[in-house]
Amino acid sequence: YAWDANEEYLFKAMVAFAMRRYSSKSTTQISNVLLCNVTDRVSFWFVVTDSSKNVTTVPGSVVEAAIRMNRNRINSAFLLSDKTLQFLKITSTLSPPVEPSTPVWLIVFGVVLCLIVAGIVFLIVSGIQKHKKKNKESTEGENLEEKVEVTVTLENGLPCEVLDLKAGHINGVFAADDERFTSL
Amino acid sequence: SATPEIPKEDDRPKWDNKFQYILSCIGFAVGLGNVWRFPYLCQIHGGGAFLIPYFIALLFEGIPLLHLELALGQCLRKGSIGAWNTISPYLGGVGVGSWVVSILVSLYYNTVLTWVMWYFINSFQEPLPWSVCPLNENRTGFNKECYESTAVNYFWYRKTLNITPDIAESGTLQWWLILCLATCWAIVYLCTIRGIETTGKAIYVTAVFPYLVLTIFLIQGLTLPGATDGLVYLFTPNLNTLKNPRVWLDAATQIFFSLSLAFGGLIAFSSYNPQKNDCEKDAVTVAIVNSITSLYASIPVFSVLGFKATTSYWDCLDRNIISVINEFDLPEESIVRQNYTSWISFLNSSHPEKIAGLKLKSCDLQEFLDQSVSGTGLAFIVFTQAIILMPGSQAWAILFFIMLFSLGLSSMFGNIEGVFTPLLELQIVSKSTPKELLSGIICLISFLIALCFTLGSGSYWIDIFDRYAGSVPLLVIAFFEVIGVVYVYKIKRFSKDVKWMTGRKLNLYWQITWRFISPLLLLIVFMAFVTLQMLKPPSYAAWNPKYESFPMKEEKVYPPWVQAICVLLAALPCVCVPLVALFHLIKQKHRSKDTSLVSPEVFYCQGANS
């Protein structure tokens, strides 16, 4: 929006409103607020006069305190913020960032940790179960192995490729170099 | 004629399928360095021109050494210690050295993942905690340390690390980091609980997910303003940099460390393979995928960095514009970024003293683009700042940190396997103790030792470990690996083994690189690396809020006791090699007169798994 005389009027009204709220006496009029040196930047000086005390200006500290108390109202009247509407010499108190009662990261951390612990427990338990099953099976498998040993010795100590018991394990020693053995 | 032994049906664990194995090797090789070190090197070494020494190093150093390790593990079917003991008891020290390096690196690498996890769990907040400064006590302004540096720096150095100004001041244990460290080790335990049985399943997620996220970031990054500036800046080749030998050294070391050679992890992975497997093709595949990933990752990284530089440039311009407008009381929007320079020159000619009084900062886009960072600075400071500026920053932050976590986790798998597999073979524990217990003990002990990295001075110590334990010993071990296989085990035997495994004869490329080029290259790189380290006194950059030029970091020299630790870290793995050889020499002298270097000739690859 453009800055024109109506906006200046609103500004005077807001300053008067701030003075009234602060000092809680309803004597400040819009005509008590004087603007000067208005530039295109939109920057200006303003003073507040006190009509009850012989047209002297209200001390700067009082005006500052009043503005500070009503800063957000003034801002919202002009649809501006502390950054876009600047009062020189009035530093604004900053609002602290919102902190929830439990930090959010702790909650996320808790979730992650629970998932991991659940995974570990599951794997350990299934590992123990598999171990028990394998123990039971290996006692049965040992009998089978003895029979295999017997058949090997029967064949004059030379293993046969035929003995493909567990998983087709090709005896590469035999498949490869013939030169290691004396030709018959 | 000698009766060859029957290859016993061993209960060695196996990969579920070939793809799992390849993915594990790729996951091990592709790590955090591909994202935060390669783009940085590209940037400071002349953009596209860096690719030339990079690919030469890949061809003559990376691929041959990778093939060597994979073939070795596959042939001998043992972890690093067992494999080298089999080749020659005198070379057992090479395996022990690898094992020690894997331990040292696992310790500090997981702490880096702790930081990533901390950032990840903090990314669920609105606004992101590193985007705003906390207030000071009387709420009139921001916290001083934060105000003088930036909110992102403050969150990293104070809220995360709670860093001390000096390495000698240890500070206290940071409880939030301890929690995250425990979680990270729990995750590592969960994934490596039964060795490759469980990592093989986990790798499907951790190795593939980063590519997904990189693609998403690529698409997002290219739509950001200023992305093209960043990319152009990155890839514009500046061939003059090739005259600097530093560039070649950096290319060689980058390839070497990027492929995670000499850790023993690759030997462990390939030892679970069936012997008749084409390790040559595997090696070439893994190396090429690793390099392509580095290139692919640098595109989104540089788009984002270009975006960040552009926004910083715009911020700088805007700040100057505001001060000029305030000073001259010009109407709003009279000076915009486009006509800023013309306005400034006009005002300078009419009111030079006013302009000089404003003390305007010179805004130069090149200067912002030139600010190069690598390592943790890139991820936790620069990238986090860029993420704040993107719309929907929580989602981007969460994605980014999960990606970093997966990248690091898949590399951790390789490190842990490098520790785990030799321990299983050394038969320290009886066969009946379950694997779960052994991996649990390893993870628990590592967690307890890594608690030192959660101290206030922890990040300084991690830098030390990274610079000394994770660099020089690897070069030494790799050198002895090549020499050991080629000249001690003899390359003729190894060629026969590889031919038996892959079904093809070793071609000339492998012969030449293994015999001459790779060992020579390793020697040159090692000497250059050590010389460069010796040239400058070992110093570090400390974050000291009381420093005069804060927020610049203060350059400090390591105190003597810290320097002793650095030397110890670098020397410990290397010294294993001669120590073990000496030990065996003494043992042999006491036992018999037979001091032959290698066991007798009846010893081919296929007979080794007994």
Side-chain angles (χ1 to χ4, degrees), chain B residues 270-303:
Chain B
S270 59
S271 70
Y272 297 115
N273 266 341
Q275 280 187 313
K276 288 266 196 193
N277 176 47
D278 194 345
C279 49
E280 183 180 338
K281 207 161 57 156
D282 297 341
V284 175
T285 311
V286 171
I288 290 186
V289 169
N290 180 54
S291 295
I292 292 185
T293 309
S294 294
L295 280 169
Y296 189 60
S298 45
I299 300 180
V301 167
F302 265 88
S303 316

Side-chain angles (χ1 to χ4, degrees), chain B residues 281-562:
Chain B
K281 207 161 57 156
D282 297 341
V284 175
T285 311
V286 171
I288 290 186
V289 169
N290 180 54
S291 295
I292 292 185
T293 309
S294 294
L295 280 169
Y296 189 60
S298 45
I299 300 180
V301 167
F302 265 88
S303 316
V304 172
L305 287 181
F307 163 67
K308 182 178 173 299
T310 307
T311 29
S312 307
Y313 172 63
W314 284 348
D315 278 343
C316 177
L317 277 183
D318 286 344
R319 271 199 301 272
N320 285 357
I321 290 177
I322 291 277
S323 8
V324 170
I325 287 186
N326 275 342
E327 179 70 17
F328 290 94
D329 278 333
L330 300 162
E332 198 73 34
E333 307 270 324
S334 56
I335 307 185
V336 283
R337 291 178 199 142
Q338 283 81 355
N339 56 17
Y340 170 75
T341 29
S342 47
W343 263 104
I344 284 289
S345 44
F346 165 69
L347 287 172
N348 224 352
S349 49
S350 50
H351 308 273
E353 62 298 325
K354 267 195 178 179
I355 293 281
L358 280 177
K359 293 203 182 44
L360 295 173
K361 198 162 166 271
S362 73
C363 300
D364 181 18
L365 183 60
Q366 267 310 108
E367 199 186 305
F368 286 111
L369 283 171
D370 274 334
Q371 288 165 0
S372 54
V373 201
S374 79
T376 51
L378 178 69
F380 298 117
I381 297 181
V382 171
F383 230 77
T384 44
Q385 196 155 21
I387 284 178
I388 303 174
L389 303 164
M390 296 183 201
S393 7
Q394 276 81 14
W396 296 114
I398 292 172
L399 270 180
F400 179 63
F401 291 115
I402 294 189
M403 175 188 81
L404 285 186
F405 195 77
S406 323
L407 281 173
L409 195 64
S410 47
S411 300
M412 270 305 282
F413 292 161
N415 280 325
I416 294 286
E417 270 310 310
V419 176
F420 197 44
T421 307
L423 275 182
L424 279 178
E425 286 155 9
L426 277 182
Q427 287 160 351
I428 295 176
V429 289
S430 62
K431 286 269 180 198
S432 56
T433 33
K435 272 194 218 163
E436 287 91 337
L437 191 62
L438 184 63
S439 49
I441 293 175
I442 293 178
C443 288
L444 186 66
I445 295 180
S446 308
F447 164 65
L448 291 173
I449 300 181
L451 281 176
C452 340
F453 294 124
T454 57
L455 289 168
S457 53
S459 84
Y460 299 134
W461 284 107
I462 290 192
D463 273 332
I464 288 183
F465 268 69
D466 193 29
R467 272 181 11 190
Y468 294 101
S471 57
V472 170
L474 292 172
L475 291 169
V476 171
I477 292 173
F479 178 71
F480 280 111
E481 280 191 1
V482 182
I483 297 292
V485 167
V486 170
Y487 295 109
V488 175
Y489 185 73
K490 299 280 190 312
I491 194 162
K492 274 207 172 62
R493 267 164 62 167
F494 198 59
S495 309
K496 278 212 175 86
D497 293 334
V498 175
K499 182 174 170 200
W500 183 79
M501 289 195 294
T502 64
R504 286 191 304 274
K505 194 164 173 298
L506 264 188
N507 64 30
L508 200 62
Y509 163 67
W510 303 112
Q511 301 264 4
I512 297 184
T513 46
W514 281 352
R515 267 191 231 235
F516 311 115
I517 302 189
S518 298
L520 195 65
L521 215 57
L522 277 174
L523 201 62
I524 297 177
V525 168
F526 170 71
M527 307 239 268
F529 199 78
V530 171
T531 322
L532 270 172
Q533 294 276 57
M534 301 282 215
L535 273 181
K536 49 179 168 75
S539 66
Y540 66 107
W543 179 261
N544 185 5
K546 298 201 178 58
Y547 184 46
E548 306 95 47
S549 14
F550 185 77
M552 302 292 289
K553 293 217 206 147
E554 190 180 352
E555 281 288 325
K556 287 189 181 174
V557 177
Y558 287 127
W561 63 276
V562 174

Side-chain angles (χ1 to χ4, degrees), chain A residues 41 43 109 116 123 126-127 173, chain B residues 183 187 194 325-326 330 332:
Chain A
R41 173 74 183 90
S43 66
F109 171 75
I116 295 166
L123 280 177
S126 67
V173 184
Chain B
T183 317
I187 294 180
R194 282 194 220 130
I325 287 186
N326 275 342
L330 300 162
E332 198 73 34

Side-chain angles (χ1 to χ4, degrees), chain B residues 32-43:
Chain B
L32 296 168
N34 293 65
V35 168
W36 70 34
R37 185 142 169 88
F38 178 78
Y40 162 76
L41 286 176
C42 252
Q43 182 191 3

Side-chain angles (χ1 to χ4, degrees), chain A residues 39-41 43 93-96 104-105 108-109 113 116 119-120 123-124 126-127 130 169 171 173 180-181, chain B residues 1 4 118 121-122 124-125 135 139 141 175 179 183 186-187 189-190 193-194 197 325-326 329-332 436:
Chain A
T39 64
D40 279 340
R41 173 74 183 90
S43 66
T93 35
L94 305 155
S95 56
V104 176
W105 69 266
V108 180
F109 171 75
L113 198 61
I116 295 166
I120 292 178
L123 280 177
I124 291 183
S126 67
K130 227 196 302 187
H169 200 93
N171 197 331
V173 184
R180 216 177 312 151
F181 305 103
Chain B
S1 57
W118 166 252
I121 60 183
N122 270 298
F124 287 88
Q125 294 182 27
L135 302 174
R139 293 221 212 141
W175 62 271
L179 286 181
T183 317
I187 294 180
Y189 179 51
L190 174 70
I193 193 168
R194 282 194 220 130
E197 253 180 78
I325 287 186
N326 275 342
D329 278 333
L330 300 162
E332 198 73 34
E436 287 91 337

